[in-house]
Amino acid sequence: MNPILAYLLIAVQTLAWLLWLWHRRPQQDTDDNNPLLLLYASQGGQAETLAQTLAPQLGITAHNLDAWHARHPLKALNHKTLILIASTTGEGAPPDNAVRFTRTLCKQTVPLTNTRYHLLALGDKRYPHYCAYGHILDRELKRLGAEAASPIATVDNLDPQTIAYWQQQLAAAHGLTISTPAEAPYHNAILRTRILLNPDSAQPIYHLRLDCPAIPADTPLIEITIPQPHEQEIRRQYSVAAIAPDGSRGLDLIVRLQTHRDGTPGPGSAYLTQTLTA
């Protein structure tokens, strides 16, 4: 081979390799230089939905706690104002996408520097550990020297007035205009089929097929209103497994029957898997 051609080939290969390394370099988040940091911990989707709705109004990106922590050490919270939206799961535990962050936070001994936070804790007063994870975040951040820029706000069953008041506090503290999220469109749905997927399991999982002609085909989450006798109705959010593209708009849900430690079923999953009739 011509020596000049060989050298050119080597140069091209080297350049391609360097470009490959460049594209694989760690990327800095666009929000790293912003004093505001919006983080959420979400199990069923409520906290994530609120954070994603709030993010464009703040001009920043919403991150779940573990995804943010995978790219940042805890000291990256220094000189930040945190906006935290946190749900509680199980017996007062953090949601799945906040477990690693919480473990690090609780073990941390080095104080945070010039860190402030606004905290919205989501929960349901029907459960004994109401907003427990939000209180854990509040306690641990204060232990490390962070300052609560506003009192922790606890929200029962996504109460819109409490959420709106917290948003007003947030807006006033930072000179922002934040609009209250619009009410999600309401659609009627009819249960067509419900199939138990694991009959031999102690934790039954069901496949539900609902007819909902008006729902958009790209709907990622739905909120179901669950009637309660002599009590205020409650709401639960569920991820959509699939929506039929054939125009029938059949809506597929995969739902596990949740059971509390005392043996009582969760009201949302019990309604969908036991009470709702075709």
Side-chain angles (χ1 to χ4, degrees), residues 209 212 215-220 222 240-246 249-252:
R209 184 67 181 268
C212 190
I215 193 169
D218 59 351
T219 303
I222 61 169
V240 175
I243 298 178
D246 58 5
R249 292 289 183 267
L251 177 67
D252 291 309

Side-chain angles (χ1 to χ4, degrees), residues 40-117:
Y40 64 85
S42 185
Q43 189 71 24
Q46 295 98 328
E48 180 179 3
T49 299
L50 287 172
Q52 297 294 356
T53 302
L54 184 60
Q57 301 187 67
L58 299 176
I60 55 178
T61 305
H63 309 270
N64 75 59
L65 284 166
D66 278 356
W68 179 87
H69 187 40
R71 301 188 301 274
H72 302 84
L74 211 61
K75 66 180 181 181
L77 299 178
N78 291 336
H79 309 290
K80 293 281 190 183
T81 295
L82 313 180
I83 301 167
L84 297 162
I85 303 177
S87 296
T88 297
T89 187
E91 304 295 325
D96 292 341
N97 57 18
V99 171
R100 293 179 182 176
F101 174 89
T102 306
R103 188 180 300 125
T104 301
L105 182 70
C106 293
K107 292 180 179 178
Q108 178 82 353
T109 57
V110 179
L112 296 171
T113 303
N114 193 27
T115 301
R116 305 173 76 240
Y117 64 94

Side-chain angles (χ1 to χ4, degrees), residues 127-142:
Y127 297 92
H129 302 280
Y130 175 60
C131 294
Y133 179 59
H135 288 293
I136 290 173
L137 285 176
D138 187 45
R139 181 193 70 212
E140 292 301 313
L141 287 169
K142 285 179 178 175

Side-chain angles (χ1 to χ4, degrees), residues 109-187:
T109 57
V110 179
L112 296 171
T113 303
N114 193 27
T115 301
R116 305 173 76 240
Y117 64 94
H118 303 269
L119 175 55
L120 183 71
L122 309 183
D124 188 329
K125 288 183 177 178
R126 299 167 188 271
Y127 297 92
H129 302 280
Y130 175 60
C131 294
Y133 179 59
H135 288 293
I136 290 173
L137 285 176
D138 187 45
R139 181 193 70 212
E140 292 301 313
L141 287 169
K142 285 179 178 175
R143 178 181 64 84
L144 294 173
E147 176 189 355
S150 59
I152 178 175
T154 56
V155 184
D156 179 29
N157 196 30
L158 294 176
D159 176 57
Q161 291 184 337
T162 307
I163 294 172
Y165 179 70
W166 178 79
Q167 289 180 328
Q168 291 169 7
Q169 286 186 309
L170 181 63
H174 299 281
L176 301 169
T177 300
I178 299 175
S179 61
T180 303
E183 288 290 328
Y186 180 85
H187 301 296

Side-chain angles (χ1 to χ4, degrees), residues 98 197 239 265:
L197 299 179
S239 297

